[in-house]
Amino acid sequence: MMDFIHDDFLLHTEMSRRLYHGYAAGEPILDYHSHLSAGDIAEDRRFQNLSEIWLEGDHYKWRAMRANGIAEGYCTGDASPYEKFLAWARTVPYTLRNPLFHWTHLELKRYFGIGELLDENNAKHVWDRANDLLLHSELTARGILTRFHVRALCTSDDPCDDLAQHTAIRAADTECRVYPTFRPDNALLVHLPETFNEWIHRLERASNRQVSSFSSFLEALKQRHDYFHALGARLSDHGLPHCYATPCGDAEAARIFANARTGKAASADEHQRYASVLMLFFGRLDAEKGWTKQLHLGALRAVNTRALLELGPNTGFDTIGDSGGVARLCAYLDLLDRERALPKTIVYNLNPADNYAFAAAVGNFQRDSFQDASIAGKIQFGSAWWFLDQKEGIESQLNALSNTGLLARFIGMLTDSRSFMSFPRHEYFRRVLCDLLGRDVENGELPDDEKLLGTMVRNICFENARQYLGLELAPTAETRKEPAGRT
Ligand SMILES: [Zn+2]
């Protein structure tokens, strides 16, 4: 019997197959948003078993296991690594039509060459075979980056991180460049003064300057932004329920900041106004340096109080909010645009109902100025994110983008993952993309022109992101051969 994951998985037409195998499959990966550990890459971590590399921190799997009646001890608790894996294997047959079913088998196939469907009966066999390869093959953190042809990868980092691991990776001169991403969500926490003040102590140490006022706070943040830039960072990221764009003067923001420093929590209204000032400040920092800003909008976090108290945040109790706020997104982009300080921006929505509204919203801010040529695709409608990162969600995002903007200028996929087992997400996306185009050709809605479509596919897989983000890549064997001046 043919393996479930076969060469033409998800590819339904002749053109889909030609586009995927001829243009998409061979492209390298530029994983511009992830939550991988730079420390794991710096030390070239060797994973001791399948549980370590596959289940640790994976809240998608925990949610499925809980829904399947598995006790918490086998998800986040202290069951042994094999017991946890076995609990997952028992759950897999119940994940039919959940994207986990596809991902699980794609990952087993691409990392370990295992083509069988995982369940309780073959769990021990899969465990032994995968562990043997993890312990004795090239499947270390860096070996995996090489295997999947990852040319650059961006982690997500707090401005207070010293980035020592990034420096160590750079010194090792790996083929895959690893860059930090500036994610200053903690700078907005004036409504939680205790956490905020602890974080400012860290910021003082990291920036080696005293934060005695609002202006010295902004200076410290700018110093960290400069430091990230010096290490090659070219992206920032913000995880927000919605954008902040409430008018507020600097003096008012300084008053709210000073109150928080003395332990007085900002009201909801004060938080909105203060966050608006900070987000404009961060926008200007990114624009000045030619960075790309990412806005992840619309998650409703930690909705289960008992789980939050017992297990902490990021354990699988976040959900899709009502909307990521279209009017506020436009207002924020508009404030920056009016002062000519709108950076390249990627907007990601979590609520699928926002697809068309967000895709249309970004189209209003593509123009740089009357005089200058704009950057192609300056404001991007980002790849399907989190609950939407599955076949239907990817197709919906591609359709909304195609119908309101330019698919050909899309910078494509990212893993957004905490696991080194997630690189086949790029393959999955590429198959969905090629299948969508191939089906359009079969319907007569796109021309039967392999070269035209293939060029677009290649660009979406890698080249658009390379040009748009401006991250420095390590020379490859091919680029080394090119004559000087043609890099
Ligand atoms: Zn993320």
Side-chain angles (χ1 to χ4, degrees), residues 33-35 156 183 237 296 385 416:
H33 178 65
S34 86
H35 298 269
S156 299
R183 180 150 173 163
D237 182 30
H296 283 93
W385 168 43
D416 199 358

Side-chain angles (χ1 to χ4, degrees), residues 6 31 47 102 467:
H6 55 86
D31 204 27
F47 299 89
H102 283 177
Q467 287 187 18

Side-chain angles (χ1 to χ4, degrees), residues 263-300:
K264 184 168 180 284
S267 67
D269 179 55
E270 285 174 328
H271 176 256
Q272 298 273 336
R273 280 181 282 149
Y274 166 87
S276 301
V277 171
L278 262 281
M279 286 303 292
L280 289 177
F281 170 75
F282 290 131
R284 290 177 202 122
L285 287 185
D286 290 344
E288 275 166 20
K289 295 199 187 79
W291 281 26
T292 300
K293 178 175 288 306
Q294 296 173 99
L295 299 168
H296 283 93
L297 303 174
L300 192 56

Side-chain angles (χ1 to χ4, degrees), residues 329-401:
L329 168 65
C330 288
Y332 175 60
L333 298 178
D334 189 50
L335 285 174
L336 287 168
D337 188 68
R338 277 155 66 170
E339 53 174 281
R340 305 282 192 270
L342 179 61
K344 290 176 286 180
T345 302
I346 312 169
V347 182
Y348 306 89
N349 60 301
L350 196 51
N351 190 321
D354 285 337
N355 275 358
Y356 267 87
F358 272 35
V362 302
N364 301 302
F365 299 95
Q366 302 291 11
R367 192 174 64 105
D368 255 3
S369 71
F370 282 114
Q371 286 80 23
D372 305 327
S374 297
I375 299 157
K378 179 180 174 182
I379 314 295
Q380 291 272 322
F381 176 47
S383 211
W385 168 43
W386 199 344
F387 294 100
L388 308 186
D389 175 10
Q390 24 77 9
K391 182 166 168 280
E392 184 179 81
I394 292 169
E395 286 185 351
S396 299
Q397 187 270 352
L398 291 171
N399 285 332
L401 170 56

